[in-house]
Amino acid sequence: MEATDPETIKAIVNNIVDGVITINNQGIIKSVNKATEKIFGYAVEEMIGQNVKMLMPEPDAGKHDGYINNYERTGNAKIIGKGREVTGKKKSGETFPLFLSISEVVIKEEKIYAGIIHDLSDLKRTEVALQESEDKINSIINAAVDGVITIDNRGLIEMVNPSAARLF
């Protein structure tokens, strides 16, 4: 990657849609972007210098420092270099699903952990609505007086409602 001036990098990071947060090896927040403010509801000044566990519900908050200490001691990464779904906690106390990926970098001989945070709230609401719609359609089909059979494009039966089963 070509070297870019710090102002360009700062402008890019501050305008990324996902949250970007950096912490040191004690879990202290070093930097956040504007999306992180929006996602969690805290101002930058409220987060900088605080332990990142302020953004986590229990029991994760209580375990976080232990995860860092274990990684520092053993090198055994549970999430660093990977991504996974976790739960975040907003300033309001509301919890929400997020996808978190963390990388480890060394800057000026200091180990920094950089996290990318993607709020999954809208996706989860869409999944719930889709499941509710599917359940409703299945209830209607299963309660139908007429037989209903669905067949895939290979001619294999995918579904038979109770009325169709009685007919056959």
Side-chain angles (χ1 to χ4, degrees):
M1 183 170 157
E2 208 174 292
T4 308
D5 70 275
E7 289 303 312
T8 301
I9 293 170
K10 185 176 181 179
I12 291 168
V13 171
N14 265 328
N15 288 288
I16 292 174
V17 176
D18 288 333
V20 178
I21 186 168
T22 61
I23 64 170
N24 66 15
N25 61 355
Q26 284 84 45
I28 303 303
I29 299 171
K30 304 293 276 181
S31 67
V32 297
N33 69 345
K34 290 179 183 179
T36 304
E37 284 185 290
K38 184 177 177 184
I39 290 169
F40 289 99
Y42 288 99
V44 170
E45 302 78 30
E46 294 176 285
M47 291 184 275
I48 302 297
Q50 300 299 315
N51 193 298
V52 72
K53 61 188 176 185
M54 72 184 283
L55 306 176
M56 303 171 194
E58 290 298 343
D60 297 328
K63 296 177 181 177
H64 184 266
D65 292 346
Y67 293 145
I68 291 177
N69 292 336
N70 182 59
Y71 176 70
E72 292 281 320
R73 200 173 69 264
T74 67
N76 183 14
K78 293 190 181 215
I79 190 169
I80 298 164
K82 305 170 187 170
R84 70 176 184 179
E85 188 175 323
V86 296
T87 302
K89 183 175 86 172
K90 297 179 184 241
K91 183 177 181 177
S92 67
E94 174 190 355
T95 60
F96 66 100
L98 61 90
F99 188 83
L100 175 65
S101 56
I102 299 176
S103 300
E104 175 185 3
V105 294
V106 177
I107 301 172
K108 297 180 184 175
E109 299 182 28
E110 181 183 12
K111 192 181 291 185
I112 300 290
Y113 299 100
I116 307 296
I117 300 155
H118 183 77
D119 185 344
L120 297 175
S121 299
D122 289 340
L123 176 64
K124 295 297 182 178
R125 280 190 289 274
T126 301
E127 286 176 353
V128 167
L130 181 60
Q131 185 62 52
E132 288 172 353
S133 177
E134 187 175 312
D135 291 347
K136 184 176 181 179
I137 289 169
N138 284 334
S139 293
I140 292 168
I141 290 171
N142 285 329
V145 176
D146 295 328
V148 178
I149 300 173
T150 60
I151 301 170
D152 69 13
N153 59 358
R154 296 171 298 176
L156 299 174
I157 296 172
E158 290 183 324
M159 190 274 307
V160 176
N161 77 342
S163 294
R166 282 191 298 275
L167 287 172
F168 293 102

